[in-house]
Amino acid sequence: MAVPWIHLFFFHILVHVIFLSFFFVSASLSDFSIVDYNLDSDPLNGDYAPPSPPPPYPPPHPPSLTCHEMRGIGSLNTTCELNYNVNFTRDVYLEGTGNLFILQGVVLSCPFPSCCVTINVTGHLKLKANARILGGSVYIVAGNASLFSGSVINVTGLAGDPPEQSTGTPKDYQGGGGGHGGRGASCVMDNKKLPEDVWGGDTYSWESLEHPFSHGSKGQSTNKEDDYGGNGGGRIWLEVKDIFDAWGALLADGGDGGIKGGGGSGGSIYIKSKKM
Ligand SMILES: *[C@@H]1O[C@H](CO)[C@@H](O)[C@H](O)[C@H]1NC(C)=O
Ligand SMILES: *[C@@H]1O[C@H](CO)[C@@H](O)[C@H](O)[C@H]1NC(C)=O
Ligand SMILES: *[C@@H]1O[C@H](CO)[C@@H](O)[C@H](O)[C@H]1NC(C)=O
Ligand SMILES: *[C@@H]1O[C@H](CO)[C@@H](O)[C@H](O)[C@H]1NC(C)=O
Ligand SMILES: *[C@@H]1O[C@H](CO)[C@@H](O)[C@H](O)[C@H]1NC(C)=O
């Protein structure tokens, strides 16, 4: 059976606070695609060379934690229920042939830019009401997944480095916004240039548009000494074999730069599921 696609691509552009993210959804119901869009005629793709796409993911991961190590009940090979918050300080890998239920209000957190939270369960992943997963990158493979109301996977402002060679963060200290899916904005007034020729950070990762998994970029500060730019958004990858039941939220926004810095650009969200 041919697999048709829905591709959504969101740009959020606000003056001074800029969130530019890749957001990608694939499902088997429609054959609309913007990936067929001709990149050569892309007006954003003008006077600079885009960097090469990010390396394939997932990277090597640590051995799987057990349900017990997270103070949970049961086993990842049957059903593991987490009833206590867990704060991680480095990469997390959870693998099993069963279900993982993160119970109501429970937070799994690794709120560091380089931290990857990887969940790989054959059965059902449930984030019950108000449960949360925080990390720089959250990579999930599950048989079925349910995000109950109020639950959230949040990588906002937790970007690690953008792909190598990319210049998503503006070079000059003029408070420009980070770039990613589109160029960052800039509020600088320059008499020698048209307003539409004044920009913040550059775009990157258009090559991996079908499988977006790159961090957003930091916005630039207004002076060298103080770091006022907002951080970029992190990355969410959600690959569900059968049904993704989505009542919660996936957030990969860039961080706010305030009045003395540019906003970070948004990160990436990829969702693939047979049914959503
Ligand atoms: C789960 O099953 C796999 C084999 O399918 C085994 O390697 C792993 O140790 C088991 N994990 C637990 C926590 O029992
Ligand atoms: C763990 O993380 C939660 C949520 O981010 C936070 O409220 C809590 O204070 C942290 N606990 C510890 C022991 O660091
Ligand atoms: C998920 O676990 C299976 C084994 O159960 C393994 O073959 C597969 O490579 C893992 N996927 C990821 C993304 O880690
Ligand atoms: C997902 O849920 C459906 C309906 O409950 C079930 O038929 C199917 O086997 C589940 N898929 C997996 C991979 O567990
Ligand atoms: C997501 O994370 C950001 C940054 O930590 C925080 O400001 C925001 O309130 C969080 N959103 C939700 C819904 O938890």
Side-chain angles (χ1 to χ4, degrees):
M1 188 189 75
V3 182
W5 306 84
I6 305 174
H7 300 170
L8 298 181
F9 184 49
F10 287 177
F11 289 83
H12 313 269
I13 303 185
L14 307 176
V15 176
H16 224 78
V17 178
I18 298 102
F19 304 106
L20 301 172
S21 31
F22 281 115
F23 182 82
F24 180 94
V25 174
S26 121
S28 50
L29 295 172
S30 154
D31 55 4
F32 167 73
S33 170
I34 69 158
V35 173
D36 299 335
Y37 182 63
N38 183 359
L39 285 178
D40 295 338
S41 66
D42 165 22
L44 295 168
N45 219 356
D47 48 355
Y48 51 88
S52 45
Y57 203 79
H61 46 67
S64 177
L65 289 176
T66 65
C67 191
H68 274 264
E69 285 170 314
M70 295 179 291
R71 291 200 290 160
I73 295 170
S75 152
L76 288 162
N77 280 351
T78 53
T79 292
C80 171
E81 294 190 321
L82 301 184
N83 205 6
Y84 295 101
N85 292 351
V86 198
N87 293 1
F88 303 101
T89 50
R90 54 193 152 101
D91 289 1
V92 187
Y93 183 65
L94 303 177
E95 181 191 302
T97 54
N99 308 307
L100 174 62
F101 299 165
I102 303 173
L103 299 184
Q104 187 160 343
V106 169
V107 184
L108 289 196
S109 106
C110 191
F112 307 104
S114 58
C115 188
C116 300
V117 177
T118 307
I119 296 175
N120 179 3
V121 289
T122 313
H124 202 151
L125 170 70
K126 291 187 189 175
L127 266 70
K128 296 286 186 82
N130 303 315
R132 280 185 287 157
I133 300 178
L134 312 175
S137 301
V138 176
Y139 192 101
I140 293 171
V141 180
N144 286 312
S146 306
L147 262 62
F148 287 58
S149 160
S151 65
V152 57
I153 297 174
N154 193 354
V155 299
T156 292
L158 287 173
D161 294 334
E164 256 174 65
Q165 301 158 26
S166 66
T167 50
T169 301
K171 280 174 222 79
D172 42 10
Y173 294 89
Q174 299 180 320
H180 185 183
R183 280 175 157 183
S186 170
C187 296
V188 169
M189 304 297 237
D190 184 339
N191 294 333
K192 288 177 266 35
K193 286 183 183 163
L194 294 170
E196 56 267 36
D197 289 334
V198 181
W199 291 101
D202 284 339
T203 67
Y204 52 89
S205 292
W206 276 76
E207 303 76 9
S208 53
L209 186 55
E210 258 187 274
H211 301 97
F213 202 61
S214 46
H215 292 292
S217 291
K218 204 172 160 51
Q220 192 51 277
S221 187
T222 42
N223 69 62
K224 247 182 214 159
E225 289 70 41
D226 303 298
D227 184 12
Y228 291 121
N231 205 3
R235 316 179 286 188
I236 299 174
W237 183 280
L238 183 58
E239 206 176 316
V240 182
K241 187 161 174 279
D242 287 333
I243 305 164
F244 174 38
D245 195 20
W247 296 93
L250 305 176
L251 303 174
D253 292 328
D256 192 345
I259 56 167
K260 289 180 176 174
S265 54
S268 306
I269 299 176
Y270 173 90
I271 302 171
K272 180 172 184 179
S273 145
K274 204 173 279 174
K275 223 172 174 184
M276 184 152 79

